[in-house]
Amino acid sequence: MGGSDLEFDVIVAGAGPGGCTLAYLLARSGVRVALVERHQELDREFRGYFFQPSVMKLFDQMGVLDGVLALPHRKIDAFHFIDHGKRLFSVRFDDLPRPYHFGVNLAQPLLLQFLIDKASAFDNFTFMNGTVVTDLIKGEKGVSGVQVRRGSERLELSTRVVVGADGRYSTVRKLAGIEQEEEEHQFDFVWFDMPAIGGKKYPLQIQIEDEGMLIHIPMGKDKVQIGWVIRKGTYNELRRQGIEQFRNRLSAVEPGLQSGLARHLVDFKQCSILDIQVAMMKSWVQDGLLLIGDAAHIASPFSGQGNSLAIQDAVAAHPVIMEALRTSTGILSKRELHLYEKERRPAVAQIQSIQRMQANMLGIRNPLLLRLRRTAVPIVSHTPLFERMRNKLALGSKPIHVATDYFVR
């Protein structure tokens, strides 16, 4: 590894929830870790804000839950599904075993900065923002580092393993030549933020009427995120119809939004379009390389799984990396790293299967099937099957724990 500008044990590319969590766990375990983030700032056009109860448990095991809950947030005790004015079912987080009986809506940049600040307390942690990965450094034994661009400066960073935590359009994955098995999805989401009018409390819910499908995501006491579900590929048509027509469609589903929309939604520039994909990468590991989060598997936004899956990946990857660093020399082998993929791939596949079923249920158009949905789903929601499904989504499809034994005391 001689000749590199900087040397680390682990390089994590991507400062999202998974990358920041893994970097913190490694830093706290005494590993020389660099967290490389292409953007100068942590804010993005669109980031999911919901974190499942499973994340609360993991943060508690990491010893950071009190700090996370000290950030501005909103606790979520339930998620509701409304179909033509009828509540078909509610996913009750407050029925889960205490103390992890709630989810959290939290501005993602606040959480990411919090985790980076916690990791920065360790001298063995380096945060490199505004730093773009331009290539992987490969040798006979696998990936041994990355080439990066930081402003006008170009650097080579050497490492024993590169972790791609850089999202659904992962540069690390593309440079590694890892292909994805992508499924066609029938929806896209249009998102925007607006103030909560008159102190109105917006529940976390999906609301379906003849005019369309609308999602409320409460963002605190004074802001709500609105999602509008559209058929894939129809966003340009929506824009051509104009912002007033869009406001009218939203108000037709939820009349209580009308005054707020008229005041605050004035241009499509305020909206973000989220291209819905469901994908599983054909491999998550190579010699010297490991993928987590959306870089390894892309989840649908249905049931708010993306952030939680990424953090679970980080927690699962942590002991695998630690043990490989401890018991071997040089680049970490695919054989050593595969233990992480072996554990996580089936767990993620289960969640994707549930999301696929949810999407199919939401996409029903046939009038007979719609009536069946309104009749059958409320009945199913009171069965043990529904409870098991809720528990998988809220707590994870497989129990996972933070390997605190590796922490430096």
Side-chain angles (χ1 to χ4, degrees), residues 128-146:
M128 302 176 68
N129 58 331
T131 304
V132 179
V133 174
T134 58
D135 207 352
L136 299 177
I137 303 170
K138 300 178 181 178
E140 292 182 2
K141 295 185 178 181
V143 176
S144 61
V146 293

Side-chain angles (χ1 to χ4, degrees), residues 67-223:
V68 169
L69 295 180
L71 302 171
H73 70 281
R74 178 165 177 176
K75 289 185 177 180
I76 303 296
D77 58 12
F79 166 76
H80 308 290
F81 186 102
I82 312 297
D83 189 346
H84 290 78
K86 178 181 180 181
R87 181 179 293 181
L88 287 194
F89 65 87
S90 295
V91 178
R92 303 296 320 189
F93 301 127
D94 50 5
D95 287 340
L96 294 168
R98 295 174 183 268
Y100 314 114
H101 58 292
F102 59 91
V104 164
N105 269 350
L106 169 64
Q108 207 179 109
L110 295 178
L111 174 65
L112 304 182
Q113 189 62 60
F114 169 80
L115 291 171
I116 290 169
D117 289 345
K118 296 290 286 186
S120 296
F122 301 94
D123 293 338
N124 46 296
F125 172 76
T126 302
F127 180 48
M128 302 176 68
N129 58 331
T131 304
V132 179
V133 174
T134 58
D135 207 352
L136 299 177
I137 303 170
K138 300 178 181 178
E140 292 182 2
K141 295 185 178 181
V143 176
S144 61
V146 293
Q147 295 179 357
V148 301
R149 183 181 70 249
R150 197 176 194 185
S152 59
E153 186 179 25
R154 293 182 181 272
L155 299 170
E156 286 195 356
L157 313 180
S158 67
T159 186
R160 297 180 64 186
V161 62
V162 173
V163 177
D166 49 343
R168 62 165 58 189
Y169 304 112
S170 171
T171 297
V172 170
R173 183 182 72 229
K174 292 175 184 176
L175 292 172
I178 296 176
E179 298 179 353
Q180 66 182 45
E181 300 166 348
E182 186 174 339
E183 299 179 11
E184 187 63 35
H185 210 286
Q186 56 185 321
F187 298 116
D188 287 333
F189 282 12
V190 182
W191 296 96
F192 62 91
D193 295 344
M194 61 176 279
I197 305 303
K200 175 178 170 62
K201 292 185 177 180
Y202 294 87
L204 180 63
Q205 70 177 33
I206 290 181
Q207 184 174 348
I208 296 179
E209 300 293 342
D210 289 341
E211 295 80 5
M213 188 185 311
L214 184 146
I215 303 172
H216 291 155
I217 301 181
M219 303 301 294
K221 64 180 180 180
D222 57 359
K223 188 166 74 170

Side-chain angles (χ1 to χ4, degrees), residues 34 42 134 160 311 339:
L42 294 171
T134 58
R160 297 180 64 186
I311 290 171
L339 294 174

Side-chain angles (χ1 to χ4, degrees), residues 53-54 61 72 117 122 194 196 318 332 338 347 351 394 398 405 408:
S54 61
Q61 292 177 1
D117 289 345
F122 301 94
M194 61 176 279
H318 167 233
L332 304 190
H338 182 68
I351 297 299
K398 181 180 179 181
D405 287 351
V408 176

Side-chain angles (χ1 to χ4, degrees), residues 2-16:
S4 295
D5 298 288
L6 295 169
E7 294 188 3
F8 303 95
D9 297 315
V10 181
I11 293 173
V12 179

Side-chain angles (χ1 to χ4, degrees), residues 257-332:
L257 292 174
Q258 188 170 15
S259 62
L261 292 170
R263 253 182 288 176
H264 299 288
L265 183 61
V266 299
D267 196 291
F268 277 104
K269 292 179 181 177
Q270 297 169 254
C271 299
S272 300
I273 178 72
L274 182 60
D275 175 27
I276 305 305
Q277 300 179 35
V278 177
M280 187 79 82
M281 305 312 132
K282 292 184 177 180
S283 175
W284 298 5
V285 296
Q286 293 180 353
D287 291 328
L289 184 138
L290 179 148
L291 303 177
I292 67 172
D294 280 358
H297 47 76
I298 302 172
S300 158
F302 290 116
S303 68
Q305 291 294 310
N307 291 333
S308 302
L309 289 175
I311 290 171
Q312 290 169 27
D313 285 354
V315 170
H318 167 233
V320 173
I321 292 173
M322 291 302 302
E323 197 61 22
L325 290 172
R326 186 181 68 84
T327 59
S328 64
T329 58
I331 295 170
L332 304 190

